[in-house]
Amino acid sequence: TQLLEQSPQFLSIQEGENLTVYCNSSSVFSSLQWYRQEPGEGPVLLVTVVTGGEVKKLKRLTFQFGDARKDSSLHITAAQPGDTGLYLCAGPPVGSTLGRLYFGRGTQLTVWP
Amino acid sequence: NAGVTQTPKFQVLKTGQSMTLQCAQDMNHEYMSWYRQDPGMGLRLIHYSVGAGITDQGEVPNGYNVSRSTTEDFPLRLLSAAPSQTSVYFCASSYSFVGGRSYTFGSGTRLTVV
């Protein structure tokens, strides 16, 4: 059973379009993180959201943590080819051992010029 | 700073062979972990360590051993490789902050068992 469900699994869009990726769970999380992974490399941390309802912005990327801390979203405005990659959400459920991280299966984003 | 260094980058093993995947970090992080990444499965935790001399099992520990004799190093050993262990392996180290942990991943080892 996957603790974090990400949708969509694949997303293929044209440069300039907007998109949203979702990360959902039935469990409450202490925090949620978003990573981006490029081919042949390890995941790189983009952001951590900690408080329910929190919104963080990183240039054209907007991250939101749900009020109940069970879900999160990543919104990209005016996507660019450089945004192409695998986006992963991850987090420690409340009560998990020493902040152990659980990952979603990822959203593969392709942005065409 | 080098961050997290994994070696080798690629490896091909025959079924039944043993090998050790190396992982070293220079950030003085207490917490280190090993994940495997398979298509459509995301990253799954194999083993983790909260400090030198302390290790514990993750979601998929069978077929793997670890040890943590120093803060810097956390090798992963495959005692008798099986085709089901074909995967990309990532080592990560992390530090804690209020509300969670910040993870740094290595660039991975792509292992094929034939």
Side-chain angles (χ1 to χ4, degrees), chain A:
Chain A
T1 305
Q2 198 74 14
L3 204 56
L4 285 166
E5 296 289 345
Q6 284 189 242
S7 61
Q9 187 177 356
F10 298 96
L11 196 50
S12 182
I13 62 172
Q14 291 294 127
E15 182 175 4
E17 292 184 16
N18 301 331
L19 66 113
T20 302
V21 175
Y22 299 94
C23 176
N24 295 295
S25 178
S26 57
S27 299
V28 179
F29 281 75
S30 302
S31 61
L32 272 179
Q33 300 179 336
W34 286 91
Y35 292 80
R36 184 168 72 200
Q37 185 179 18
E38 299 188 14
E41 297 297 326
V44 175
L45 179 64
L46 296 175
V47 77
T48 302
V49 285
V50 178
T51 306
E54 182 176 2
V55 176
K56 281 192 174 178
K57 292 192 175 184
L58 189 66
K59 297 183 181 178
R60 295 175 293 100
L61 279 61
T62 301
F63 304 85
Q64 186 162 8
F65 200 11
D67 291 340
R69 293 187 290 143
K70 292 183 177 181
D71 56 88
S72 181
S73 64
L74 158 61
H75 182 79
I76 301 179
T77 304
Q80 299 177 359
D83 295 326
T84 293
L86 179 67
Y87 289 82
L88 296 156
C89 67
V94 169
S96 67
T97 306
L98 291 170
R100 180 175 146 177
L101 211 60
Y102 289 81
F103 280 84
R105 291 179 177 165
T107 294
Q108 180 63 54
L109 171 66
T110 304
V111 183
W112 301 98

Side-chain angles (χ1 to χ4, degrees), chain B:
Chain B
N1 286 342
V4 178
T5 302
Q6 288 185 241
T7 56
K9 184 80 171 173
F10 301 94
Q11 183 70 49
V12 179
L13 287 178
K14 293 183 179 179
T15 297
Q17 285 185 318
S18 63
M19 79 159 295
T20 300
L21 308 186
Q22 301 292 344
C23 175
Q25 54 98 0
D26 62 359
M27 297 171 286
N28 202 32
H29 290 168
E30 290 297 322
Y31 193 102
M32 296 185 74
S33 48
W34 277 101
Y35 289 84
R36 60 177 288 173
Q37 187 174 34
D38 302 292
M41 299 294 292
L43 283 96
R44 293 182 291 170
L45 182 65
I46 304 171
H47 284 285
Y48 65 97
S49 169
V50 300
I54 306 169
T55 63
D56 207 345
Q57 297 180 351
E59 288 177 75
V60 288
N62 293 340
Y64 308 95
N65 279 351
V66 292
S67 60
R68 185 93 179 272
S69 56
T70 67
T71 299
E72 294 78 20
D73 300 300
F74 191 42
L76 178 72
R77 280 184 287 277
L78 283 71
L79 299 178
S80 178
S84 61
Q85 294 178 305
T86 294
S87 187
V88 182
Y89 291 84
F90 289 100
C91 177
S93 72
S94 71
Y95 68 90
S96 64
F97 59 94
V98 175
R101 289 190 161 271
S102 178
Y103 279 70
T104 301
F105 284 83
S107 58
T109 294
R110 183 174 293 273
L111 176 67
T112 302
V113 183
V114 298

